[in-house]
Amino acid sequence: MEYNFKEIEKKWQAYWADRQTFRVETDPSKPKYYVLDMFPYPSGAGLHVGHPLGYIASDIYSRYKRLKGFNVLHPMGYDAFGLPAEQYAIQTGQHPAITTEQNIRRYRQQMDRIGFSYDWSREVRTCDPAYYKWTQWAFLEMFGHWYNPETDKAEPIETLIEKFKAEGRWEGLSEKEQSDLLMQYRIAYQGETSVNWCPKLGTVLANDEVKEGLSVRGGFPVEQKKMKQWQLRVSAYAQRLLDDLEELEWTDSLKEMQRNWIGRSQGAEIVFKVSNGSETYDMTIFTTRADTIFGVTFMVLAPESEWVEKLTTPEQRAAVEDYLALVKKKTERERIAETRKATGVFSGSYAVNPLTGKEVPVWISEYVLSGYGTGAIMAVPAHDSRDYTFAKTFNLPIVPLIEGCDVSQESFDAKDGIMCNSGFLNGKTVKEAIPAAIDYVESHGLGHRKINFRLRDAIFSRQRYWGEPFPIYFKEGIPTPLPVDALPLELPEIDEFKPTETGEPPLGRAKGWTVDGWPLELITMPGFAGSSAYYLRYMDPHNDQALVSREADAYWRNVDLYIGGTEHATGHLIYARFWNKFLYDCGYVCEMEPFKKLINQGMIQGRSNFVYRIKNTNTFVSCGLKDQYDTTEIHVLVNLVHNDRLDIEAFRNWMPEYKTAEFILEDGEYICGWAVEKMSKSMFNVVNPDEVCDRYGADTLRMYEMFLGPLEQSKPWDTKGIDGVHRFLRKLWGLHFDRDTFCVSDEAPTPAELKALHKLIGKAQADIENFSFNTTVSAFMIAVGTLADLKCNKRAILEPLAIVLSPFAPHIAEELWSLMGHTESIAYARFPEYIEAYTREDNVEYPVSFNGKTRFKLTVSKSLSPAEVEAIVRADENTARYLAGGAIRKVIVVPGRIINIVC
RNA sequence: GCCUUGGUGGUGGAAUGGUAGACACGAGGGACUUAAAAUCCCUUGGCCCGAAACGGCCGUGCGGGUUCGAGUCCCGCCCGAGGCACCA
C-alpha cells in the first residue's frame, strides 16, 4: 500500500488538536521539563524553511522527553509588537493589529502543517492587553525599586527614602526635587543620555539594534543625540550577569559574547590635578594600566565631557568650538569609517602627573568616549596603540617604559616585559608593576581600585505607536505611576501612525490620552519589553492576578532547553536575564537564571539557481557551456529547478518574457548554476515549508531538516537529498505491508533483528541527548535498511521502532502505531524497557597499561571474572597491535580498576 | 586589531586518541519493464602492481611535536565564518 502522507498527516494533526494531546498541567507527581523556542515576530512574508529548523529540533526533544516520562511544557506564541507592522501601517493606513492578526494566522497554519507538539492553550501574544498588562506591571515594579549596592539586590524604593531621611537628605525637598533624586536610583528611570537616534525611523534604538552605524531594521543611518529617555538600570546587574554565566549550559562562544558585551575591566581611578591657568581642579581618570603612569605624556577628554568647558582656555576656545561642531556633525557611521584617523584639539590646559609632578597637556578627542570610565584618560602612547596614533599625529612625546621595546613604528601593547623609566617600578615585570602602582596610588591618597563595565543601561523608549504604552503620567511635570489596578493601560486608537506635526510620537494624536487631566507618557516600550518575561507567562498564561502564580513558578521553575538564533546574544538574552534577576530579587520567581541550556540553531541560507541568457537574445545556455558565450546570469525561481535541472516548460510559463525562450542543452538537459545566498524573495530562492509538505509530507520535512547537518551549523537549503529521506520513510512504511495488506507478525524476533533494533535504540538515545539529530536520522536509515534486508515484519521489532521514531516523524509513527492495534497516541507510549535497554550501566571501562603506563581503555561487561577479562585482553586487537610481535609475560587485572600488562 | 568558531571525497556530512570517509545525495554500471516512473543490486577518495585473487603506497588546510597509534592532543602558520570594534 502506498505511503499516503497527506492523509496520514491531516488525520493525526486533527487527532492531536481534538484530543488536546499536548496540553499540560502542573503535575507534581511527574518530573517537569520545559522546552522553549524563541517566539517569532510574525512577519508578512510567512515562514520559510529556515524558520522551523529550531522548532523541529525542540519538538523532537520535547517528544523524546515525553516518551521518557517527563511532564513537558512546550509552548509557542508571538512577539507581535514591532516596527515592520507599524511601517506598513504608516504606508497603507492599515492598523498594525489587523496585519499582525493576519500574519499570526498564517504562521499558525504553517506551523500546524509541520506537526508540532505545542500546547496551544498557552499561546501568548505580546500585543494582547492581557499579556502586556504584565509587561507594564514589571515596569512599574522596576520604577518602584532601586538597586542597593550593599545588599547587592533590588529593594523597594521606600528603603531608599528611609535611608535619605536618616541621612537628613529628604525633608525639606520639594516634591519635584524628591522625584528627581529618586529618579537617579530607580531601576526603571528617566535620564538624559546620549542615545542612538535614527531619524529615518523617528525613534531611538538600543545598542544591539545598531550594527555598524546602521539600524538593524531597515539599515538606516543612526546618529548620537542627547535625549531624556526611559532606561533600565541593567548596569547594576553587570557583575551578577557575568558571574552567573558560569552555571549555564550555553556554548562558549555565546558566553564569551556576553562577557565581552558586559566588558568587565579591573583597574584604578587616579586623580590628576588639572589647571587652566586660573583655576585648579582634581580630575579623575580610569586606567587598567596604572603601571604605565610614568609614561603619561598627555591627557585626553571626550568631546562631550563636562571637563571640556572647564579646561578650555580663552586662547583655545575658538579651535575647541570648531572641533566640537565638527564632531557633532558626524554620523555614527562616519565616525566608524574614520576610526584609523586621529582627530583632536588642544584645550590649553595642563595636568600634573601625580607621581612624577610633570606637566602634560590636556587634549580633546573623539577617540575617548564620554560614556565609559570618567570620560577622560591619561595617555601613554608608548603602550597603547590609540594613544600612539594620536601622539604621532599631533607630535606628542612617546616615552617607552619596558626594557628593550621598540616604539619607533608602533606601540608596545603587550602586558609583559620588565619596567624601566618608571621610578620605583623599575625592574618589576608588568604583572608585578600593575598592583604595585595601584598600591602606591592608594596609599598616597591619589586614587583607588575600580572595576568598570562596558554594559550600559538599556534605553527603554521608542517614539512609536505599536508597542506597550507606559503606565506613567506627568503630574505637574513629575513622572507618576498609574496604580496597578489601572493596568492594562491599553493602546489608544489613533487615525494615523506617523509622528505629529510638532514632532511628538504618534500617541500625541490620541484623544483623551490623559489621567485626571494630566498627560500620559507618549512614547512606548521597545521590542524587548514583551519578550523579556514571556517564558514565565507560559507557565501560567491565563492568570489575571499575577504574571505567574507561585505554584506554577515553583513547579516549572525555568527553561530547561531554549532554542533560538544567535542574533539575540547581546539583546534579548541579556535583557531577559536582567529582567528575571530583578523579579528574583523581588521574590516573584524562584530561579536566578531563566534559561539553563541554550542551543543556537544555525541559519538556513538560500541556495539560488541561475540561468544564463546569451546577451541580446532570448536563448539560454546550460551552465556547463556558458563559457562559450557572452551571457548574463539571471536568478531563476528555485521551484522551477530540481537537482539543478531546469523544468523548461515551467520556466517558459514563469514570466511572459520567457514564453519564447530557446535553450542550448547539455546531454539533453538544462543545468542551472547555483550559489549560496541569504534566503530572500528577490533572489527567488525562498522555499516555503508548505511546498515541501505538499510534495513530501511533514515527516520528510522534519527528518530532512535534521539530516541536513549539525543543528548549530549554518547551511544552505538544498533539496538534493530530500528524496533519500522520503525513500527511507516509504521503506519503513513498506516493512508493515505485504503488497496492499497490513501485515505485522507476532513471531519472536531473530537475534539479527534484535541487534538492529538495539543498535538503533542505543545510538538514537545517545545522539538525541547530544542534539546530534543528523546522525540519529542516519541511524534510522541503517536500522530500517537492515530490517528490510531481513524482511522483518515482527511486532516486537516494529513497535519499539515506531516509538523511537515518533519524535522525528510523529505522523507516520502514530499511523503505524494505530495500525498495530493501539488506541492511545504514541506520544505517551511508555516503553522505557526498550528505550533504556541498552543504556544500562552494566559495562566497566578498564584503563589498560603496559609496564605501568596507561595506553588505552577497554570496555567489558561488569559480570566477567578477572580470568575472563584476561582472556579478552590477550585476544584484544589493540593489545596485539601495541605489542606487535612482542610477548605478554603477565596480565594483572584489578577487578573494576585497571589492567596492567607486563611485557 | 581583539574574541569565538571551523577547515575531511564531486556534494551535505560521519568518526569517546584505535580500520578515515558512516549515512545520504550525485555519478557510473546492471536487473525488472514495450517504454517511462517506481523498485532492487553492484561500483564510487587518489595512485600503483596484477589475468584474477591477495595486495601496496598516498591521503582529513600547511609545518613541526607528543604517542605503539593523531582528523582528534600540543606549538607555530595559512584560509573561511560569526561577534566586538576607539571601552583606556
Side-chain angles (χ1 to χ4, degrees):
Chain A
M1 197 160 101
E2 268 302 290
Y3 163 43
N4 188 341
F5 54 83
K6 277 199 178 151
E7 248 170 52
I8 292 170
E9 290 174 2
K10 225 166 113 189
K11 171 178 166 188
W12 289 101
Q13 283 162 12
Y15 175 98
W16 296 328
D18 288 350
R19 313 268 177 121
Q20 305 208 44
T21 307
F22 303 112
R23 189 166 181 151
V24 280
E25 299 300 338
T26 54
D27 177 358
S29 72
K30 278 202 265 179
K32 70 100 188 185
Y33 201 87
Y34 186 176
V35 181
L36 182 64
D37 292 295
M38 289 186 186
F39 64 168
Y41 173 79
S43 85
L47 293 171
H48 65 63
V49 288
H51 296 111
L53 182 74
Y55 304 160
I56 293 171
S58 66
D59 196 60
I60 288 171
Y61 204 72
S62 302
R63 287 175 177 270
Y64 168 76
K65 279 289 185 184
R66 248 176 237 127
L67 289 176
K68 298 275 273 178
F70 286 84
N71 194 26
V72 177
L73 176 55
H74 187 41
M76 181 46 97
Y78 305 95
D79 187 12
F81 274 135
L83 278 178
E86 183 164 4
Q87 290 291 83
Y88 188 75
I90 290 171
Q91 286 158 18
T92 63
Q94 178 84 284
H95 197 288
I98 295 170
T99 34
T100 302
E101 173 67 36
Q102 284 168 354
N103 294 346
I104 286 178
R105 215 173 303 141
R106 172 103 194 276
Y107 266 59
R108 177 66 192 273
Q109 272 169 4
Q110 289 188 294
M111 285 194 272
D112 280 348
R113 287 204 67 180
I114 304 172
F116 294 130
S117 63
Y118 294 123
D119 176 357
W120 283 106
S121 75
R122 291 175 183 259
E123 179 193 301
V124 301
R125 298 176 186 192
T126 55
C127 65
D128 178 357
Y131 177 88
Y132 68 64
K133 172 180 179 176
W134 299 104
T135 311
Q136 293 172 333
W137 167 82
F139 170 81
L140 287 183
E141 287 290 314
M142 291 183 195
F143 184 79
H145 282 75
W146 69 297
Y147 200 86
N148 185 345
E150 278 158 32
T151 55
D152 207 15
K153 57 183 275 210
E155 288 180 9
I157 199 80
E158 287 72 27
T159 65
L160 182 64
I161 297 174
E162 287 311 311
K163 202 170 121 115
F164 285 150
K165 281 182 179 161
E167 292 167 2
R169 292 168 62 190
W170 187 255
E171 311 297 346
L173 295 183
S174 72
E175 225 177 298
K176 176 88 175 96
E177 286 167 331
Q178 290 179 344
S179 164
D180 288 349
L181 179 60
L182 293 181
M183 202 55 103
Q184 294 169 41
Y185 295 89
R186 297 181 188 276
I187 305 276
Y189 67 100
Q190 215 178 15
E192 177 103 345
T193 181
S194 180
V195 297
N196 303 303
W197 172 255
C198 180
K200 201 85 189 193
L201 291 172
T203 188
V204 298
L205 297 170
N207 281 352
D208 66 282
E209 292 174 312
V210 181
K211 287 255 149 73
E212 288 167 6
L214 299 175
S215 65
V216 172
R217 287 244 187 242
F220 303 118
V222 170
E223 55 193 49
Q224 294 298 306
K225 197 172 166 185
K226 273 230 152 135
M227 287 178 84
K228 198 173 184 189
Q229 296 292 330
W230 285 103
Q231 298 177 58
L232 301 184
R233 208 173 294 278
V234 179
S235 62
Y237 285 84
Q239 188 66 52
R240 286 166 63 186
L241 288 169
L242 188 66
D243 293 344
D244 295 345
L245 272 177
E246 297 296 323
E247 309 297 318
L248 302 176
E249 292 172 65
W250 296 12
T251 59
D252 289 339
S253 66
L254 200 91
K255 286 192 195 177
E256 201 56 31
M257 262 191 241
Q258 290 219 339
R259 283 191 199 106
N260 290 341
W261 193 260
I262 294 166
R264 181 184 198 269
S265 56
Q266 209 164 349
E269 283 191 345
I270 302 176
V271 179
F272 281 64
K273 295 254 183 250
V274 285
S275 164
N276 59 15
S278 50
E279 268 184 281
T280 304
Y281 308 92
D282 281 348
M283 184 172 83
T284 306
I285 58 92
F286 174 74
T287 180
T288 54
R289 292 293 302 273
D291 58 308
T292 61
I293 195 159
F294 288 90
V296 174
T297 55
F298 56 101
M299 311 289 285
V300 190
L301 308 175
E304 301 82 7
S305 165
E306 53 194 28
W307 288 106
V308 170
E309 179 57 31
K310 290 178 189 149
L311 297 182
T312 300
T313 59
E315 306 80 70
Q316 288 299 103
R317 182 148 305 268
V320 169
E321 271 166 13
D322 283 353
Y323 181 69
L324 295 184
L326 186 84
V327 169
K328 208 167 177 188
K329 230 172 51 200
K330 281 192 201 173
T331 63
E332 189 65 10
R333 192 162 174 75
E334 284 164 341
R335 269 186 79 157
I336 290 165
E338 292 167 15
T339 289
R340 305 262 161 238
K341 270 192 275 169
T343 67
V345 65
F346 176 46
S347 70
S349 294
Y350 290 85
V352 177
N353 187 321
L355 267 74
T356 63
K358 255 192 246 159
E359 272 201 343
V360 292
V362 179
W363 286 68
I364 299 160
S365 172
E366 60 181 340
Y367 88 85
V368 175
L369 304 176
S370 65
Y372 183 78
T374 62
I377 62 155
M378 63 178 213
V380 186
H383 302 289
D384 182 288
S385 56
R386 297 153 303 184
D387 298 345
Y388 187 86
T389 314
F390 194 84
K392 281 282 180 188
T393 310
F394 294 102
N395 259 322
L396 295 159
I398 298 170
V399 181
L401 302 171
I402 290 178
E403 281 177 17
C405 73
D406 174 16
V407 293
S408 62
Q409 294 307 313
E410 55 180 10
S411 61
F412 183 85
D413 291 13
K415 283 189 190 176
D416 55 18
I418 307 289
M419 305 295 299
C420 63
N421 300 330
S422 293
F424 71 95
L425 296 173
N426 282 343
K428 287 190 175 19
T429 64
V430 172
K431 286 200 176 70
E432 294 160 356
I434 294 174
I438 302 178
D439 286 345
Y440 181 92
V441 164
E442 282 191 328
S443 62
H444 288 72
L446 302 170
H448 56 91
R449 283 187 160 72
K450 167 87 183 176
I451 289 162
N452 259 325
F453 294 95
R454 285 174 57 186
L455 185 69
R456 311 285 169 81
D457 288 346
I459 312 280
F460 199 63
S461 315
R462 297 295 179 271
Q463 286 67 15
R464 307 303 305 249
Y465 171 72
W466 192 230
E468 299 87 349
F470 280 78
I472 291 280
Y473 64 102
F474 295 93
K475 190 176 175 185
E476 291 167 1
I478 296 172
T480 311
L482 285 178
V484 171
D485 56 23
L487 302 182
L489 173 64
E490 290 199 37
L491 200 53
E493 290 303 320
I494 55 176
D495 42 22
E496 249 194 297
F497 303 99
K498 287 195 288 245
T500 66
E501 281 65 34
T502 54
E504 284 185 326
L507 282 183
R509 297 174 181 277
K511 296 187 185 72
W513 190 237
T514 54
V515 169
D516 301 336
W518 301 110
L520 275 157
E521 177 60 277
L522 295 182
I523 59 174
T524 54
M525 298 186 194
F528 69 82
S531 58
S532 290
Y534 76 113
Y535 58 92
L536 292 169
R537 191 61 182 162
Y538 281 135
M539 297 174 182
D540 195 8
H542 308 296
N543 189 336
D544 60 0
Q545 298 303 308
L547 168 64
V548 51
S549 72
R550 266 167 217 286
E551 300 73 51
D553 179 64
Y555 180 70
W556 296 112
R557 308 194 74 82
N558 58 5
V559 176
D560 294 282
L561 173 67
Y562 196 23
I563 297 188
T566 177
E567 66 272 17
H568 297 107
T570 51
H572 164 63
L573 287 173
I574 293 260
Y575 300 132
R577 292 182 63 217
F578 154 77
W579 204 285
N580 188 86
K581 284 181 190 305
F582 169 73
L583 294 176
Y584 174 83
D585 284 354
C586 300
Y588 294 117
V589 302
C590 61
E591 290 283 353
M592 282 204 302
E593 283 289 335
F595 316 119
K596 252 191 278 194
K597 183 177 174 73
L598 179 96
I599 291 186
N600 292 119
Q601 92 276 19
M603 284 227 281
I604 292 201
Q605 296 137 308
R607 189 175 186 280
S608 309
N609 275 112
F610 302 107
V611 292
Y612 303 91
R613 175 156 63 186
I614 301 173
K615 280 195 177 150
N616 305 318
T617 69
N618 207 10
T619 301
F620 295 82
V621 57
S622 186
C623 183
L625 306 172
K626 71 172 194 289
D627 292 344
Q628 300 166 23
Y629 303 86
D630 186 14
T631 58
T632 320
E633 189 178 73
I634 300 171
H635 277 95
V636 56
L637 190 63
V638 287
N639 291 2
L640 310 180
V641 180
H642 195 57
N643 285 341
D644 287 339
R645 278 152 184 74
L646 182 68
D647 181 337
I648 289 173
E649 271 320 298
F651 179 72
R652 286 199 172 115
N653 291 328
W654 181 33
M655 285 189 194
E657 55 173 312
Y658 301 138
K659 199 84 210 165
T660 57
E662 295 296 322
F663 299 88
I664 299 173
L665 308 177
E666 45 185 325
D667 303 327
E669 303 205 78
Y670 190 97
I671 312 291
C672 296
W674 61 274
V676 173
E677 297 173 306
K678 202 178 137 118
M679 201 170 268
S680 102
K681 233 175 165 177
S682 64
M683 299 184 183
F684 296 111
N685 61 5
V686 175
V687 182
N688 185 319
D690 297 343
E691 294 162 14
V692 183
C693 287
D694 281 339
R695 188 160 181 168
Y696 296 99
D699 286 336
T700 302
L701 173 71
R702 292 168 63 104
M703 293 202 89
Y704 186 57
E705 291 223 3
M706 294 301 104
F707 185 64
L708 224 42
L711 189 57
E712 294 171 86
Q713 194 173 301
S714 284
K715 55 234 158 187
W717 176 260
D718 187 351
T719 27
K720 236 164 57 180
I722 196 167
D723 292 306
V725 173
H726 190 64
R727 222 168 276 157
F728 152 75
L729 287 173
R730 281 217 302 265
K731 193 185 261 186
L732 168 84
W733 181 257
L735 285 179
H736 301 72
F737 290 87
D738 179 14
R739 291 176 206 277
D740 274 354
T741 16
F742 182 75
C743 179
V744 168
S745 115
D746 285 323
E747 278 172 66
T750 65
E753 291 164 348
L754 279 171
K755 190 176 173 191
L757 173 68
H758 286 139
K759 232 176 158 174
L760 169 68
I761 292 172
K763 175 93 175 134
Q765 166 135 318
D767 285 353
I768 292 173
E769 296 282 3
N770 291 323
F771 299 92
S772 176
F773 296 146
N774 55 331
T775 53
T776 321
V777 177
S778 294
F780 282 123
M781 289 179 173
I782 295 168
V784 168
T786 311
L787 293 175
D789 288 346
L790 296 169
K791 302 206 182 332
C792 169
N793 69 341
K794 315 253 171 77
R795 174 183 301 273
I797 301 293
L798 297 178
E799 281 194 351
L801 177 64
I803 293 172
V804 187
L805 183 74
S806 66
F808 284 79
H811 308 87
I812 191 173
E814 287 274 23
E815 180 69 12
L816 294 171
W817 186 246
S818 109
L819 285 171
M820 285 188 276
H822 298 272
T823 50
E824 281 302 306
S825 166
I826 197 171
Y828 288 88
R830 287 293 157 53
F831 269 40
E833 66 264 36
Y834 285 112
I835 302 214
E836 272 153 33
Y838 268 64
T839 55
R840 252 178 277 133
E841 296 277 323
D842 52 7
N843 286 336
V844 62
E845 200 177 53
Y846 284 95
V848 179
S849 63
F850 289 81
N851 294 336
K853 197 170 174 190
T854 304
R855 295 307 189 188
F856 60 88
K857 283 174 184 157
L858 182 75
T859 307
V860 296
S861 168
K862 234 177 201 166
S863 56
L864 296 180
S865 69
E868 286 168 317
V869 174
E870 184 180 335
I872 290 171
V873 173
R874 285 181 185 274
D876 183 72
E877 212 180 320
N878 288 329
T879 309
R881 198 176 303 134
Y882 175 59
L883 293 169
I888 297 174
R889 280 204 292 174
K890 205 162 137 195
V891 177
I892 304 156
V893 178
V894 182
R897 298 293 299 281
I898 194 168
I899 300 169
N900 193 21
I901 299 173
V902 183
C903 313

